[in-house]
Amino acid sequence: MAGRPTFRGRLAVAIGAAVALLAGLVAVLSTNAYAAAGCRVTYRVTSQWPGGFTGDVAVTNLGDPVTGWTLQWTFGAGQSVTQAWNATVTASGAQVTAVNAGYNGSIATNATVSFGFNGSWTGSNPVPASFTLNGTTCTGGVTSPSASPSASPSTSPSASTSPQPGNAMAAVAAMQPGWNLGNSLDATGADETSWGNPRVTAALLDNIRAQGFNSIRIPVTWGQHMGSAPGYTVDAAWLARVKEVVDWALADGFYVVLNVHHDSWQWINTMPSDRTNVQNRYNALWTQLAAAFRTSSPKLVLESVNEPQFTGSSGDAQNAELLAALNTEFRRIVRASGGNNATRLLVLPTLHTSADQARVDELTATFNQLGDPNLIATVHFYGYWPFSVNIAGGTRFDSAVEQDLVGQFDRVANAFVSRGIPVIIGEYGLLGFDRHTGTIEQGEKLKFFEYLGYYARSKKLTTMLWDNGQHFGRTSFAWSDPELFAQIRSSWTTRSGTASADFVYVPKSGAVAAQTLTLNLNGTTLQGLRQGSTDLVRGTDYTVSGNQLTLTASALTRLVGSRSYGVNATLQARFSAGVPWRINIITYDPPLLSAATGTTAAFTLPAQFRGDQLATMEAKYADGSNAGPQNWTSFKEFDVTFAPDYTAGTITLRPAFFAEVNDNAKVTLTLHFWSGTKVTYFVTRSGSTVTGSLS
């Protein structure tokens, strides 16, 4: 499902202060006299408020591996660091020193470590003018191994980072973390812009590299750019364009994964009924691609096919046999083409890139048969389906969601990693993101990605974020949700503390009562709570008993102020590692809905949300049976069947909902809000006319 076109515009989040990006800063590392050394430092202000800001610093090692690092800079406008994570940060006047934590002191070649901090500022908040790493001022170059002090610094990636035959595990580890250039060269229209994204630019890849990604997966759909049988010649201009983008990425120091993408469901899927023609076309395609890239850097990795699937097969046995044939021919063709392809890393998927045990076992058999040490297994992961799309009441990151993740990652780790065969999670995310990232509540999705990064790391799995344009702006070069990316980035190196919710709802009227959240410490310790640059007082504003964090009635009374609807205050729970956990203090009243009329094509019910937000919606007939699509559950799919619009003050019931609602049968809707409030509403469809009422 991932990678199909989405027609929603991306939400560009404007941060109060300009995001400062120093993508090109390079520092020389202190290693031995003849070591290649260099790094890239990226300093970003990810959020800013009056008197305070959050900063993020990423250090990418471009030279030989180093152990132990110290980064220093000088604030030029009186800023100061008030709290940090993933590094020990101290200051002497304006001079700031950040020293690695115990778990991130070693930086492999082309690996990235990052840390974050909260700071204070007055007047202005400019980017530091320069950095030093291990005592050496940033120079913008890489010092190559040489006994001569006059040798010129190199700006190209170190050749020592190329994967070597038989060292696939190390190479794939160096690819962590990865990012997908989705919905561009894989678009199925006339060119790469046909699904709404702009043309890929070198600047985009430069900026993605600066975010700390070490590998990039470039999905490509080839079918509409191929000629007819028997040659199936790939259009020369298209191949040249793909090669241009690949070469940009290699020049940036990325590991690059190049594949055959939506061809899987366009024509490869017909293999059960048209095996000879499909196999011939597939072989012809890979013969041309192998020839075109045989001399490319060993950091180019080739993937046989994306999400393989077959239509009209006789069942699992035939599916397995057909995929084994594709994977085997792919490997044979690439290896026979010679050059760097003789030992190039090659990626083979399971059927549907599924981590189900049967699918893993099928791919294991192929690996056993091929006996090639430079092969990589791949699956995709989009989470427990009810949570991933918000259906069937799957609104929270709970034990079912966690165990689904653990089961899938354990299966591939046990089958492959335990035997020295590397695994790439070639795409990961949440399926609801293909509509918009608000399908899943913010705090719940943060917990999902925190755990995903941690558990993948514990199982030595390399992960590649699926991004079809909904995460990183293709021209703005900014994250649509900086908080989400901060959590993802932190998970690459450490755990973060979280809580049972990222909100506390306070009723608008009546006495304000103390409220308790359950902390998920994840191996960290709570350091304190902060509002802006002000620390809350433990024992007065809040108490902690085990994993129970209680905000006192007096603190909540102060924080809600005049109790206007919506977010009145934002707190940050700061832990000993990872990123802080945001807690919104929200004033609300039960939402009010109004009667309405409309059509099955366009029905919206007026809603005064009064500070609350919609979590999910149930639909039932008078006899208690479930109404609407997917009637195995009363809880309908968020945004597919219903969608709130907080700005307009409406809830839309989409045509997909009414398409499976019985005519002239009254439907009871129960709308569940995050405050815990439930509101009942009734709709009746009569032909194409819809009537909504409160009774």
Side-chain angles (χ1 to χ4, degrees):
M1 184 175 293
R4 302 294 176 89
T6 87
F7 300 102
R8 288 187 169 272
R10 296 187 302 276
L11 175 64
V13 175
I15 297 173
V19 173
L21 179 63
L22 298 180
L25 288 177
V26 179
V28 176
L29 305 180
S30 294
T31 56
N32 66 71
Y34 302 111
C39 82
R40 178 188 299 111
V41 177
T42 304
Y43 177 101
R44 302 172 64 245
V45 175
T46 59
S47 64
Q48 185 166 294
W49 58 92
F53 71 101
T54 297
D56 185 272
V57 182
V59 182
T60 301
N61 176 27
L62 302 178
D64 290 340
V66 298
T67 57
W69 51 266
T70 298
L71 186 72
Q72 292 184 312
W73 71 88
T74 299
F75 279 130
Q79 305 104 306
S80 64
V81 174
T82 56
Q83 185 249 341
W85 48 93
N86 297 338
T88 300
V89 180
T90 58
S92 177
Q95 176 84 20
V96 181
T97 300
V99 179
N100 62 270
Y103 48 79
N104 64 0
S106 297
I107 317 177
T109 302
N110 280 335
T112 299
V113 296
S114 61
F115 63 93
F117 65 88
N118 288 329
S120 62
W121 66 283
T122 57
S124 63
N125 187 19
V127 174
S130 64
F131 293 83
T132 64
L133 192 66
N134 291 350
T136 302
T137 303
C138 302
T139 64
V142 178
T143 302
S144 299
S146 174
S148 170
S150 62
S152 300
S154 169
T155 57
S156 61
S158 169
S160 66
T161 67
S162 299
Q164 299 301 313
N167 198 23
M169 282 291 293
V172 173
M175 294 171 68
Q176 173 66 8
W179 180 83
N180 274 272
L181 180 64
N183 283 28
S184 285
L185 295 169
D186 55 318
T188 58
D191 68 8
E192 67 196 87
T193 67
S194 64
W195 282 359
N197 278 324
R199 280 178 63 85
V200 178
T201 63
L204 169 64
L205 304 190
D206 294 344
N207 277 274
I208 280 293
R209 189 75 169 102
Q211 306 305 309
F213 291 101
N214 291 320
S215 59
I216 182 171
R217 183 169 177 257
I218 302 178
V220 181
T221 300
W222 301 90
Q224 70 271 31
H225 303 285
M226 297 176 69
S228 57
Y232 300 108
T233 303
V234 176
D235 177 72
W238 180 247
L239 182 57
R241 173 57 177 160
V242 172
K243 194 170 190 307
E244 178 181 46
V245 176
V246 168
D247 289 344
W248 285 342
L250 291 170
D252 267 340
F254 281 112
Y255 286 85
V256 179
V257 178
L258 178 68
N259 77 353
V260 171
H261 204 74
H262 291 306
D263 306 81
S264 62
W265 56 265
Q266 287 187 314
W267 54 273
I268 294 174
N269 63 314
T270 65
M271 198 171 178
S273 59
D274 193 21
R275 179 164 183 168
T276 299
N277 288 326
V278 169
Q279 189 74 69
N280 288 344
R281 186 177 182 183
Y282 179 84
N283 289 4
L285 174 57
W286 271 115
T287 298
Q288 294 170 79
L289 298 183
F293 292 100
R294 68 187 298 275
T295 61
S296 293
S297 163
K299 293 180 77 172
L300 173 64
V301 179
L302 301 178
E303 177 185 1
S304 64
V305 61
N306 174 71
E307 297 181 353
Q309 54 199 274
F310 301 104
T311 301
S313 77
S314 59
D316 288 348
Q318 186 182 20
N319 289 336
E321 192 271 327
L322 294 175
L323 180 56
L326 291 175
N327 281 333
T328 300
E329 281 296 278
F330 160 72
R331 176 193 170 275
R332 179 190 65 78
I333 291 166
V334 174
R335 291 285 181 255
S337 66
N340 287 334
N341 288 343
T343 56
R344 187 177 302 285
L345 291 171
L346 304 179
V347 179
L348 306 184
T350 60
L351 184 73
H352 304 295
T353 53
S354 164
D356 289 349
Q357 190 62 58
R359 308 289 80 80
V360 171
D361 291 345
E362 292 160 359
L363 186 61
T364 299
T366 298
F367 273 74
N368 291 342
Q369 177 186 359
L370 296 177
D372 187 328
N374 285 332
L375 298 181
I376 303 165
T378 190
V379 296
H380 293 174
F381 182 72
Y382 284 96
Y384 183 59
W385 185 68
F387 175 75
S388 190
V389 301
N390 192 349
I391 194 174
T395 58
R396 292 190 178 273
F397 177 73
D398 58 14
S399 60
V401 182
E402 180 179 318
Q403 287 309 305
D404 176 77
L405 183 155
V406 168
Q408 296 200 44
F409 286 12
D410 280 356
R411 286 192 289 275
V412 294
N414 293 339
F416 299 111
V417 177
S418 66
R419 300 170 53 203
I421 298 170
V423 173
I424 294 175
I425 308 297
E427 297 178 13
Y428 75 92
L430 290 168
L431 293 174
F433 284 1
D434 272 353
R435 298 185 66 83
H436 64 82
T437 58
T439 300
I440 295 89
E441 196 274 333
Q442 182 75 355
E444 301 306 313
K445 76 172 75 115
L446 293 176
K447 287 183 279 188
F448 171 82
F449 284 101
E450 191 280 332
Y451 192 81
L452 187 155
Y454 151 71
Y455 204 74
R457 184 160 39 88
S458 75
K459 294 298 176 179
K460 300 181 181 179
L461 309 178
T462 287
T463 58
M464 307 193 82
L465 176 67
W466 177 258
D467 189 350
N468 63 17
Q470 78 273 61
H471 292 310
F472 192 74
R474 298 292 170 90
T475 56
S476 67
F477 307 142
W479 293 98
S480 60
D481 188 343
E483 182 181 48
L484 174 60
F485 178 63
Q487 184 69 80
I488 291 172
R489 172 184 264 175
S490 178
S491 75
W492 299 338
T493 56
T494 189
R495 296 217 67 179
S496 295
T498 65
S500 53
D502 62 342
F503 50 73
V504 169
Y505 278 93
V506 178
K508 186 173 179 62
S509 59
V512 175
Q515 296 207 40
T516 299
L517 296 173
T518 299
L519 298 175
N520 307 309
L521 293 171
N522 299 329
T524 71
T525 56
L526 180 68
Q527 303 294 294
L529 297 183
R530 177 169 293 162
Q531 181 188 16
S533 58
T534 301
D535 288 323
L536 274 64
V537 179
R538 187 164 181 163
T540 301
D541 296 326
Y542 67 96
T543 61
V544 180
S545 177
N547 65 348
Q548 300 297 294
L549 168 66
T550 299
L551 293 166
T552 64
S554 60
L556 287 173
T557 299
R558 184 181 74 251
L559 292 168
V560 296
S562 62
R563 293 162 90 170
S564 58
Y565 289 135
V567 178
N568 300 138
T570 298
L571 307 180
Q572 286 192 328
R574 298 175 294 110
F575 297 89
S576 56
V579 295
W581 180 255
R582 173 191 43 76
I583 304 170
N584 286 340
I585 311 300
I586 302 169
T587 291
Y588 83 104
D589 265 332
L592 297 176
L593 308 182
S594 301
T597 58
T599 68
T600 55
F603 180 82
T604 59
L605 60 99
Q608 298 177 51
F609 290 101
R610 305 208 294 178
D612 217 338
Q613 294 206 337
L614 186 59
T616 186
M617 182 188 79
E618 288 187 271
K620 294 184 176 182
Y621 295 114
D623 63 2
S625 61
N626 300 327
Q630 294 157 325
N631 60 12
W632 51 269
T633 176
S634 63
F635 290 91
K636 302 296 97 176
E637 186 173 351
F638 196 102
D639 199 63
V640 172
T641 59
F642 70 96
D645 185 329
Y646 300 107
T647 301
T650 61
I651 298 172
T652 297
L653 300 183
R654 299 198 184 279
F657 174 73
F658 291 110
E660 298 187 47
V661 166
N662 296 337
D663 211 32
N664 296 312
K666 192 173 187 178
V667 177
T668 300
L669 304 179
T670 304
L671 296 112
H672 297 251
F673 291 84
W674 281 107
S675 68
T677 300
K678 298 179 184 178
V679 178
T680 302
Y681 193 82
F682 303 92
V683 293
T684 303
R685 170 196 169 191
S686 179
S688 62
T689 300
V690 178
T691 302
S693 66
L694 300 175
S695 61

